[in-house]
Amino acid sequence: DDLPEGVIIETFNGSGIGALKLRLAASDAHVLLAQEVGVTPDLHGDFSQWLIGKGWRMLLAPAEPRPGGYCSVGVTLFARHQFGLRWFGDSEESGILEPHRLIAGVVDLPGEVHLDIVSIYLRTGDGLSIDNLTTLRILGQCLEAAGPLTFTGGDWNIHRNCLEISGLPARVDHSVVATGLPTCLTTSSRSEYDYFLVSGKAKASVAKVPLISSWHIRPHLPVQILLQPD
């Protein structure tokens, strides 16, 4: 079935719950894949209530609490309330592919169209380490079982050529979709770490890949893909 025209999917690393809330309130996306969400199990209930008021549904792999009241990692899938959102494999156990770092779900759009969506957050500064390669292997197993319209977005913490070198895109017949511009801006570096990996049919439906350079909170800028029927 054809995609509804104009669907927008966004990936965003908020570096915490405060920036994530601001982005959810500001974004024009229909589906948002988030990393470093700052939502721990203790905050899940209150955050879920806040989302209801903003018209979002959520699936969550919570952030990891750390000593001193801090937290780390955590990935989330969001969809607008008018769409269905469910776990990949129809259970939380099958949808949280790796705690805190890798989560998969399904968005049900009008017209019996289903998007398989994944949010990924690889380890900072590790490159193609054993741990990151293990996460990519788990992702690959998911993508091999996914449907024809599959979108993985995230803060990969590696440049897209490194993802190609890992062999994952070729192995699962997916393509990297990126802006070609820096998405992570710090005082010492400008890197493109935020982008998508999409299936063949999904890539054919991508009309634009905008970088939301007007976003005011650093270091990460949101990246979107605008879809149109193939």
Side-chain angles (χ1 to χ4, degrees):
D1 293 325
D2 286 339
L3 279 164
E5 188 169 2
V7 172
I8 299 171
I9 303 175
E10 178 174 313
T11 185
F12 176 62
N13 180 329
S15 300
I17 193 170
L20 177 61
K21 283 185 172 182
L22 290 173
R23 188 61 204 160
L24 287 166
S27 178
D28 60 349
H30 302 93
V31 177
L32 196 149
L33 318 175
Q35 306 85 40
E36 281 201 290
V37 296
V39 182
T40 61
D42 289 345
L43 295 175
H44 189 176
D46 288 344
F47 185 61
S48 296
Q49 288 300 311
W50 181 88
L51 287 171
I52 290 171
K54 298 298 181 182
W56 288 100
R57 302 179 188 271
M58 175 182 72
L59 298 176
L60 171 69
E64 184 179 14
R66 297 287 176 85
Y70 297 99
C71 63
S72 181
V73 297
V75 287
T76 314
L77 307 172
F78 300 99
R80 296 290 183 178
H81 67 89
Q82 65 264 37
F83 303 138
L85 179 63
R86 53 191 169 88
W87 291 105
F88 183 84
D90 292 322
S91 73
E92 182 175 353
E93 182 179 7
S94 60
I96 297 180
L97 305 174
E98 181 179 341
H100 317 303
R101 292 193 178 275
L102 190 60
I103 185 174
V106 182
V107 177
D108 298 313
L109 300 179
E112 298 296 318
V113 177
H114 310 289
L115 308 181
D116 290 334
I117 57 172
V118 183
S119 181
I120 185 170
Y121 181 59
L122 292 182
R123 293 155 187 83
T124 305
D126 274 17
L128 293 178
S129 65
I130 292 175
D131 286 340
N132 276 345
L133 286 172
T134 297
T135 300
L136 293 177
R137 177 182 57 79
I138 295 168
L139 171 61
Q141 292 171 346
C142 170
L143 298 181
E144 286 172 342
L149 289 170
T150 302
F151 302 83
T152 301
D155 177 2
W156 299 80
N157 273 311
I158 54 174
H159 294 286
R160 49 185 171 148
N161 64 320
C162 288
L163 182 60
E164 299 282 3
I165 290 169
S166 77
L168 173 64
R171 187 165 67 252
V172 297
D173 196 22
H174 280 47
S175 299
V176 174
V177 173
T179 67
L181 299 169
T183 63
C184 182
L185 312 177
T186 70
T187 56
S188 60
S189 67
R190 296 167 60 86
S191 303
E192 187 179 21
Y193 289 155
D194 306 86
Y195 49 85
F196 293 90
L197 183 67
V198 304
S199 61
K201 185 174 181 180
K203 184 180 180 182
S205 300
V206 174
K208 297 179 181 178
V209 190
L211 175 69
I212 312 303
S213 57
S214 59
W215 184 244
H216 60 288
I217 299 175
R218 298 294 185 266
H220 290 274
L221 297 175
V223 177
Q224 296 182 340
I225 48 179
L226 174 62
L227 304 180
Q228 64 181 7
D230 183 13

